Amino acid sequence: MRLIAAAGAAFLCLAQVSSAQQSVQPQTTTYWEAWCKDRANNRLPEGTVTLYNGYRPNTGGHKHNEGTRPASAYGSLSSRGGDYSGGNYYPFTFTASRVGQTEWIQACCSSDCTTKDIQVRYSDISSYSGHSTNVFIGQTKTHPSNHHGTVLLKNAISGITQQYHDEFGCYDEYQRVGVNDMALEFGGVFDLYPYGPEWAPGHKTHDHGKAVDFRCKPPPKENSVIYDDRIIERFEEICELHGLYFTEREDKGKSNEHIHCAPNRFGT
């Protein structure tokens, strides 16, 4: 991956800015090169490059107070730049954080700069359209779209709630199943803000879009699995039958009680 920063006075507007977005997975390191060019658009065999990076607010499903975001919540560069010669470019690496979002890298020669956007995301995650036997819950102002996942997960959720309906739809207590957190639109860390510290490391098993939480609360809460231990145990068995072999009843007895289902303990 390359950035090209043009050499010359800023008023010449020689910086070449690409509108195309690169895409990398969270927590991966990619190799980049940057170099300077002269006024005739020729690459210079030596030069001085300065590097910057940051993030685009309100991307990847995160709608946060941007004033308190720590540096760990976006990617890092192996260098802030320097001189190059002989190799015709300055090499560096970009390491993405766990956060799924749009980020940027900027390379400058003198006051002329080139900026490229990077989507930090899992490419196999997309929006879940839902099913007649379930309903979406858990959306917040800071995470307004929390129902994304892989094709396998989305098919599994529809199959699970359909089978649950087929087995328990005749019960007076039956309700459509509340589908809570899956993954955000780019995947990556699904933090707990504003209900905990910003960018807290929780929900790690939701990073890859392969895990889901189903509401499990006592009546009169709507859209939940029937609150009976035997039925909840059966619901966990249904998850396993549809390929989500790791199940766990989380926050038991609390207002946020739910059934977590994933292919394994790590959600990978």
Side-chain angles (χ1 to χ4, degrees), residues 17 23 53 55 57 63-64 68-69 87 102 124 146 155 181 188-189 207 209 237 251 267-268:
V17 180
S23 180
N53 73 301
Y55 61 91
K63 308 290 185 180
H64 289 268
T68 57
R69 185 185 294 200
T102 300
D124 59 347
N146 58 324
N155 289 341
D181 294 334
V189 64
D207 278 26
E237 291 176 353
D251 296 325
T268 56

mmCIF file of all heavy atoms in Angstrom, residues 17 23 53 55 57 63-64 68-69 87 102 124 146 155 181 188-189 207 209 237 251 267-268:
data_model
loop_
_atom_site.group_PDB
_atom_site.id
_atom_site.type_symbol
_atom_site.label_atom_id
_atom_site.label_comp_id
_atom_site.label_asym_id
_atom_site.label_seq_id
_atom_site.Cartn_x
_atom_site.Cartn_y
_atom_site.Cartn_z
ATOM 1 N N VAL A 17 -4.802 12.961 -3.589
ATOM 2 C CA VAL A 17 -5.654 12.344 -2.585
ATOM 3 C C VAL A 17 -6.541 11.298 -3.252
ATOM 4 O O VAL A 17 -7.257 11.598 -4.210
ATOM 5 C CB VAL A 17 -6.539 13.391 -1.874
ATOM 6 C CG1 VAL A 17 -7.411 12.734 -0.824
ATOM 7 C CG2 VAL A 17 -5.656 14.464 -1.234
ATOM 8 N N SER A 23 -9.110 -1.461 2.875
ATOM 9 C CA SER A 23 -9.811 -2.210 3.917
ATOM 10 C C SER A 23 -8.843 -3.178 4.572
ATOM 11 O O SER A 23 -8.119 -3.905 3.887
ATOM 12 C CB SER A 23 -10.997 -2.982 3.313
ATOM 13 O OG SER A 23 -11.684 -3.709 4.312
ATOM 14 N N ASN A 53 -1.865 9.948 11.613
ATOM 15 C CA ASN A 53 -3.026 9.067 11.451
ATOM 16 C C ASN A 53 -4.111 9.447 12.449
ATOM 17 O O ASN A 53 -3.855 10.119 13.455
ATOM 18 C CB ASN A 53 -2.643 7.597 11.616
ATOM 19 C CG ASN A 53 -2.347 7.208 13.049
ATOM 20 O OD1 ASN A 53 -1.441 7.771 13.680
ATOM 21 N ND2 ASN A 53 -3.088 6.245 13.578
ATOM 22 N N TYR A 55 -8.863 8.929 13.004
ATOM 23 C CA TYR A 55 -10.098 8.196 12.705
ATOM 24 C C TYR A 55 -11.180 9.175 12.256
ATOM 25 O O TYR A 55 -11.106 10.382 12.511
ATOM 26 C CB TYR A 55 -10.572 7.426 13.935
ATOM 27 C CG TYR A 55 -10.888 8.321 15.118
ATOM 28 C CD1 TYR A 55 -12.167 8.832 15.310
ATOM 29 C CD2 TYR A 55 -9.883 8.695 16.012
ATOM 30 C CE1 TYR A 55 -12.448 9.673 16.365
ATOM 31 C CE2 TYR A 55 -10.156 9.540 17.069
ATOM 32 C CZ TYR A 55 -11.437 10.026 17.245
ATOM 33 O OH TYR A 55 -11.703 10.889 18.285
ATOM 34 N N PRO A 57 -14.896 10.221 12.919
ATOM 35 C CA PRO A 57 -15.954 10.035 13.924
ATOM 36 C C PRO A 57 -17.227 9.473 13.304
ATOM 37 O O PRO A 57 -17.501 9.651 12.116
ATOM 38 C CB PRO A 57 -16.184 11.458 14.457
ATOM 39 C CG PRO A 57 -14.909 12.195 14.142
ATOM 40 C CD PRO A 57 -14.433 11.607 12.839
ATOM 41 N N LYS A 63 -21.297 5.863 17.686
ATOM 42 C CA LYS A 63 -21.745 7.251 17.775
ATOM 43 C C LYS A 63 -21.417 7.744 19.184
ATOM 44 O O LYS A 63 -22.243 7.683 20.089
ATOM 45 C CB LYS A 63 -23.258 7.348 17.518
ATOM 46 C CG LYS A 63 -23.730 6.673 16.253
ATOM 47 C CD LYS A 63 -23.264 7.401 14.999
ATOM 48 C CE LYS A 63 -23.850 6.759 13.752
ATOM 49 N NZ LYS A 63 -23.417 7.428 12.526
ATOM 50 N N HIS A 64 -20.190 8.226 19.370
ATOM 51 C CA HIS A 64 -19.678 8.475 20.709
ATOM 52 C C HIS A 64 -19.324 9.922 20.960
ATOM 53 O O HIS A 64 -19.123 10.709 20.037
ATOM 54 C CB HIS A 64 -18.412 7.638 20.952
ATOM 55 C CG HIS A 64 -18.655 6.185 21.099
ATOM 56 N ND1 HIS A 64 -18.862 5.574 22.298
ATOM 57 C CD2 HIS A 64 -18.751 5.206 20.172
ATOM 58 C CE1 HIS A 64 -19.052 4.284 22.110
ATOM 59 N NE2 HIS A 64 -19.003 4.045 20.819
ATOM 60 N N THR A 68 -13.164 12.096 24.542
ATOM 61 C CA THR A 68 -12.426 11.325 25.540
ATOM 62 C C THR A 68 -11.871 10.023 24.973
ATOM 63 O O THR A 68 -11.473 9.149 25.729
ATOM 64 C CB THR A 68 -13.335 10.992 26.742
ATOM 65 O OG1 THR A 68 -14.493 10.274 26.280
ATOM 66 C CG2 THR A 68 -13.772 12.251 27.445
ATOM 67 N N ARG A 69 -11.830 9.882 23.663
ATOM 68 C CA ARG A 69 -11.364 8.626 23.093
ATOM 69 C C ARG A 69 -9.856 8.456 23.295
ATOM 70 O O ARG A 69 -9.072 9.330 22.937
ATOM 71 C CB ARG A 69 -11.680 8.552 21.598
ATOM 72 C CG ARG A 69 -11.302 7.202 20.997
ATOM 73 C CD ARG A 69 -11.502 7.153 19.498
ATOM 74 N NE ARG A 69 -12.897 7.250 19.123
ATOM 75 C CZ ARG A 69 -13.358 6.848 17.933
ATOM 76 N NH1 ARG A 69 -12.524 6.334 17.057
ATOM 77 N NH2 ARG A 69 -14.618 6.988 17.630
ATOM 78 N N GLY A 87 16.297 3.974 -1.634
ATOM 79 C CA GLY A 87 15.168 3.075 -1.891
ATOM 80 C C GLY A 87 13.998 3.754 -2.558
ATOM 81 O O GLY A 87 13.019 3.106 -2.925
ATOM 82 N N THR A 102 -13.794 3.786 10.163
ATOM 83 C CA THR A 102 -12.966 4.351 9.106
ATOM 84 C C THR A 102 -11.851 5.173 9.734
ATOM 85 O O THR A 102 -12.111 6.036 10.584
ATOM 86 C CB THR A 102 -13.799 5.233 8.159
ATOM 87 O OG1 THR A 102 -14.829 4.431 7.558
ATOM 88 C CG2 THR A 102 -12.932 5.817 7.064
ATOM 89 N N ASP A 124 -16.708 -9.997 6.003
ATOM 90 C CA ASP A 124 -17.803 -10.960 5.853
ATOM 91 C C ASP A 124 -18.994 -10.649 6.739
ATOM 92 O O ASP A 124 -19.892 -11.473 6.888
ATOM 93 C CB ASP A 124 -17.304 -12.380 6.132
ATOM 94 C CG ASP A 124 -16.712 -12.555 7.529
ATOM 95 O OD1 ASP A 124 -16.460 -11.534 8.203
ATOM 96 O OD2 ASP A 124 -16.504 -13.713 7.954
ATOM 97 N N ASN A 146 -26.974 -2.561 15.901
ATOM 98 C CA ASN A 146 -26.203 -3.610 16.584
ATOM 99 C C ASN A 146 -26.539 -5.016 16.090
ATOM 100 O O ASN A 146 -26.255 -5.993 16.776
ATOM 101 C CB ASN A 146 -26.429 -3.545 18.092
ATOM 102 C CG ASN A 146 -27.899 -3.693 18.482
ATOM 103 O OD1 ASN A 146 -28.782 -3.200 17.773
ATOM 104 N ND2 ASN A 146 -28.175 -4.356 19.585
ATOM 105 N N ASN A 155 -28.303 -16.896 9.389
ATOM 106 C CA ASN A 155 -29.130 -18.074 9.107
ATOM 107 C C ASN A 155 -29.419 -18.862 10.372
ATOM 108 O O ASN A 155 -30.527 -19.377 10.571
ATOM 109 C CB ASN A 155 -28.435 -18.965 8.082
ATOM 110 C CG ASN A 155 -28.415 -18.362 6.692
ATOM 111 O OD1 ASN A 155 -29.208 -17.464 6.385
ATOM 112 N ND2 ASN A 155 -27.528 -18.836 5.843
ATOM 113 N N ASP A 181 -27.611 -7.939 21.157
ATOM 114 C CA ASP A 181 -26.355 -7.643 20.478
ATOM 115 C C ASP A 181 -25.856 -8.787 19.604
ATOM 116 O O ASP A 181 -25.782 -9.940 20.039
ATOM 117 C CB ASP A 181 -25.273 -7.295 21.496
ATOM 118 C CG ASP A 181 -25.571 -5.997 22.221
ATOM 119 O OD1 ASP A 181 -26.280 -5.152 21.641
ATOM 120 O OD2 ASP A 181 -25.095 -5.834 23.358
ATOM 121 N N GLY A 188 -15.550 -5.795 15.067
ATOM 122 C CA GLY A 188 -14.592 -5.218 15.995
ATOM 123 C C GLY A 188 -15.197 -5.012 17.364
ATOM 124 O O GLY A 188 -16.294 -5.484 17.656
ATOM 125 N N VAL A 189 -14.466 -4.290 18.222
ATOM 126 C CA VAL A 189 -14.871 -4.170 19.624
ATOM 127 C C VAL A 189 -16.277 -3.606 19.738
ATOM 128 O O VAL A 189 -16.643 -2.629 19.101
ATOM 129 C CB VAL A 189 -13.856 -3.303 20.412
ATOM 130 C CG1 VAL A 189 -13.816 -1.885 19.904
ATOM 131 C CG2 VAL A 189 -14.190 -3.329 21.894
ATOM 132 N N ASP A 207 -16.818 -9.604 18.363
ATOM 133 C CA ASP A 207 -15.979 -8.904 17.388
ATOM 134 C C ASP A 207 -16.177 -9.400 15.963
ATOM 135 O O ASP A 207 -16.222 -8.612 15.020
ATOM 136 C CB ASP A 207 -14.494 -9.080 17.745
ATOM 137 C CG ASP A 207 -14.024 -8.110 18.820
ATOM 138 O OD1 ASP A 207 -14.872 -7.657 19.621
ATOM 139 O OD2 ASP A 207 -12.824 -7.809 18.848
ATOM 140 N N GLY A 209 -18.666 -11.040 14.485
ATOM 141 C CA GLY A 209 -20.005 -11.178 13.921
ATOM 142 C C GLY A 209 -20.520 -12.602 13.925
ATOM 143 O O GLY A 209 -21.350 -12.973 13.083
ATOM 144 N N GLU A 237 -30.167 -25.716 23.836
ATOM 145 C CA GLU A 237 -29.992 -26.901 22.990
ATOM 146 C C GLU A 237 -30.304 -26.577 21.528
ATOM 147 O O GLU A 237 -29.623 -27.060 20.609
ATOM 148 C CB GLU A 237 -30.902 -28.031 23.481
ATOM 149 C CG GLU A 237 -30.491 -28.612 24.827
ATOM 150 C CD GLU A 237 -31.478 -29.654 25.326
ATOM 151 O OE1 GLU A 237 -32.552 -29.819 24.686
ATOM 152 O OE2 GLU A 237 -31.193 -30.298 26.352
ATOM 153 N N ASP A 251 -25.635 -12.890 33.184
ATOM 154 C CA ASP A 251 -26.317 -11.912 34.042
ATOM 155 C C ASP A 251 -27.604 -12.475 34.624
ATOM 156 O O ASP A 251 -28.629 -11.779 34.694
ATOM 157 C CB ASP A 251 -26.598 -10.619 33.277
ATOM 158 C CG ASP A 251 -25.338 -9.915 32.849
ATOM 159 O OD1 ASP A 251 -24.346 -9.972 33.601
ATOM 160 O OD2 ASP A 251 -25.332 -9.305 31.758
ATOM 161 N N GLY A 267 -16.049 -16.835 20.085
ATOM 162 C CA GLY A 267 -16.818 -16.156 19.048
ATOM 163 C C GLY A 267 -16.090 -16.049 17.730
ATOM 164 O O GLY A 267 -16.345 -15.133 16.934
ATOM 165 N N THR A 268 -15.194 -17.019 17.451
ATOM 166 C CA THR A 268 -14.415 -16.962 16.218
ATOM 167 C C THR A 268 -14.791 -18.101 15.279
ATOM 168 O O THR A 268 -15.478 -19.024 15.659
ATOM 169 C CB THR A 268 -12.917 -17.065 16.533
ATOM 170 O OG1 THR A 268 -12.659 -18.260 17.280
ATOM 171 C CG2 THR A 268 -12.466 -15.876 17.348
#
